[in-house]
Amino acid sequence: MESVRKTVLSGIQPSGVLTLGNYLGALKQWAQMQDDYLSLYMVADLHSITVRQEPAVLRRRISETYALLLACGIDPDRSIVFVQSQVPEHTQLSWIMNCITYVGELNRMTQFKDKSAKHADNVNAGLFTYPVLMASDILLYQAHCVPVGADQKQHVELTRDVATRFNNAYGETFVVPEPYIPKFGARIMSLQEPEKKMSKSDPNPNAFLLLTDDADTVVRKLRRAVTDCEGVIAYDPENRPGVSNLLTIYSVCANMSMEDAQKHFDGLGYGALKQETADAVNAVLDPIREEYARLLTDKAYLSERMKDGAEKASAIARKTIRKVYRKVGLDCMR
Ligand code: TRP
């Protein structure tokens, strides 16, 4: 029943390319949550312009990222899948929440510190208030549950704080959300430096697997993956991060427990581990690559879906905006 289903919301920035880590660590969970929650998933394009973007590239990446979400099994008939900038309520709520959030709170955000160091020539106000926009994304839909990576947890905690502050000042308005950090098994590490998380911004392209890498590239990158010289296949992430990462990728893609995966490779060498991991990854990626390629040729379908998603999202968001305006003493007229 709709009324007892809780709401889940998450977002992803339109970088245009996603890694196997993004899929196994996030998108796969999003897809699995669709039946149990009222699910909203968005392309967070307003977040991405806190860093300077080339307009034509941004435009292309927004549709590519949207297509990738659908290709990963996020079903626009079961979820509301939308592009953030197409739902104007996000920026509307964001201003109001800016007036609730303290500068001191934003100063403590570690991502702001990291990003402003990285983009020292463009430390804009949007970069600073980015967590307020993210809080607004979540609060607009009264989301209970927000699946995020560990790097975004601090932003969800801030969301809880500002939602509670608003509720205390103006009366019950917002659901106070919980972060949902996917459990172990989903954390995929770099193939070249397995102590680090797999990241698409790694300067070495052999360190990551993209969802759009073709089958041969997957085989080649996994063959080059860093292991160790022990020659025994066993899960020990602390001391043997490379082999353990391959085992993790294998077990998740082959749908096998870690124990069974280790048994499976008992007595085999790293060559077999790499080849079978590549085969398991390719079995997962084949349908994604195929659907992605198909979607990119059907621009009309994509824009129809975007429009439909934006309308559905806006219908929910509008209710929150009306309520918030009324509580604050403003009149939203629509
Ligand atoms: N800030 C998130 C990231 O960079 C993306 C994001 C934007 C998001 N709005 C959100 C995630 C709301 C969860 C909920 O990864």
Side-chain angles (χ1 to χ4, degrees):
M1 242 168 51
E2 200 64 39
S3 59
V4 296
R5 264 206 309 177
K6 292 200 165 174
T7 299
V8 61
L9 175 131
S10 198
I12 188 153
Q13 291 200 35
S15 60
V17 286
L18 295 175
T19 67
L20 183 71
N22 295 125
Y23 176 70
L24 298 178
L27 299 182
K28 193 177 165 198
Q29 275 78 10
W30 294 8
Q32 283 165 349
M33 294 173 92
Q34 295 181 101
D35 292 320
D36 302 325
Y37 291 84
L38 169 59
S39 316
L40 296 118
Y41 298 120
M42 62 168 205
V43 177
D45 55 349
L46 294 175
H47 279 89
S48 69
I49 58 169
T50 52
V51 173
R52 197 60 68 82
Q53 305 283 339
E54 185 65 50
V57 175
L58 177 63
R59 184 168 294 114
R60 179 169 51 77
R61 287 184 171 169
I62 293 167
S63 12
E64 286 174 356
T65 305
Y66 191 89
L68 263 181
L69 292 183
L70 302 196
C72 287
I74 295 172
D75 174 1
D77 287 322
R78 286 185 291 154
S79 296
I80 302 177
V81 197
F82 65 101
V83 175
Q84 182 186 32
S85 65
Q86 296 174 355
V87 181
E89 287 82 2
H90 289 258
T91 45
Q92 263 186 305
L93 184 59
S94 175
W95 175 253
I96 297 188
M97 299 317 287
N98 259 307
C99 300
I100 303 291
T101 309
Y102 300 134
V103 167
E105 285 174 312
L106 295 176
N107 266 328
R108 286 197 290 275
M109 297 293 121
T110 55
Q111 198 182 53
F112 172 68
K113 291 183 205 166
D114 294 348
K115 283 205 180 174
S116 45
K118 226 169 113 187
H119 304 277
D121 56 335
N122 183 19
V123 185
N124 61 77
L127 197 62
F128 187 60
T129 61
Y130 165 120
V132 180
L133 180 60
M134 178 159 160
S136 305
D137 299 336
I138 298 166
L139 299 175
L140 262 184
Y141 303 99
Q142 308 287 355
H144 301 88
C145 173
V146 186
V148 282
D151 62 322
Q152 297 294 321
K153 190 163 176 249
Q154 202 185 20
H155 296 157
V156 181
E157 314 257 281
L158 175 80
T159 306
R160 293 170 56 82
D161 292 344
V162 296
T164 306
R165 186 171 312 138
F166 188 100
N167 286 347
N168 290 338
Y170 296 104
E172 274 313 304
T173 306
F174 294 124
V175 167
V176 179
E178 301 276 351
Y180 172 89
I181 315 281
K183 293 181 280 301
F184 151 86
R187 202 172 143 77
I188 307 301
M189 313 305 282
S190 155
L191 300 178
Q192 292 299 319
E193 293 164 84
E195 308 74 27
K196 283 184 3 195
K197 210 172 111 174
M198 180 180 285
S199 162
K200 59 200 163 213
S201 48
D202 200 305
N204 180 353
N206 287 323
F208 51 77
L209 291 167
L210 297 180
L211 297 185
T212 48
D213 279 345
D214 61 33
D216 291 342
T217 306
V218 169
V219 172
R220 185 172 44 78
K221 286 183 177 179
L222 280 168
R223 271 202 202 126
R224 291 188 187 165
V226 167
T227 49
D228 52 42
C229 39
E230 292 204 25
V232 179
I233 300 173
Y235 185 73
D236 177 3
E238 191 93 348
N239 301 307
R240 308 185 50 203
V243 169
S244 303
N245 189 35
L246 293 177
L247 269 172
T248 301
I249 297 173
Y250 175 81
S251 73
V252 179
C253 291
N255 245 327
M256 226 185 240
S257 70
M258 184 54 80
E259 211 187 316
D260 287 348
Q262 290 181 86
K263 266 193 218 136
H264 175 85
F265 287 110
D266 194 24
L268 297 177
Y270 292 163
L273 173 64
K274 290 175 170 183
Q275 185 59 49
E276 289 203 38
T277 301
D279 293 343
V281 168
N282 277 326
V284 168
L285 293 189
D286 273 337
I288 296 177
R289 286 187 288 239
E290 203 176 302
E291 180 62 0
Y292 178 63
R294 195 189 67 77
L295 286 167
L296 286 188
T297 62
D298 198 347
K299 293 278 188 273
Y301 174 79
L302 275 183
S303 54
E304 191 188 303
R305 282 308 189 165
M306 278 186 195
K307 185 162 175 280
D308 181 61
E311 277 166 11
K312 287 184 180 145
S314 184
I316 303 177
R318 195 99 292 272
K319 289 190 196 151
T320 304
I321 289 292
R322 275 200 214 106
K323 194 161 150 189
V324 167
Y325 266 50
R326 184 163 30 81
K327 300 247 180 183
V328 173
L330 304 169
D331 187 350
C332 92
M333 306 291 284
R334 329 188 260 137

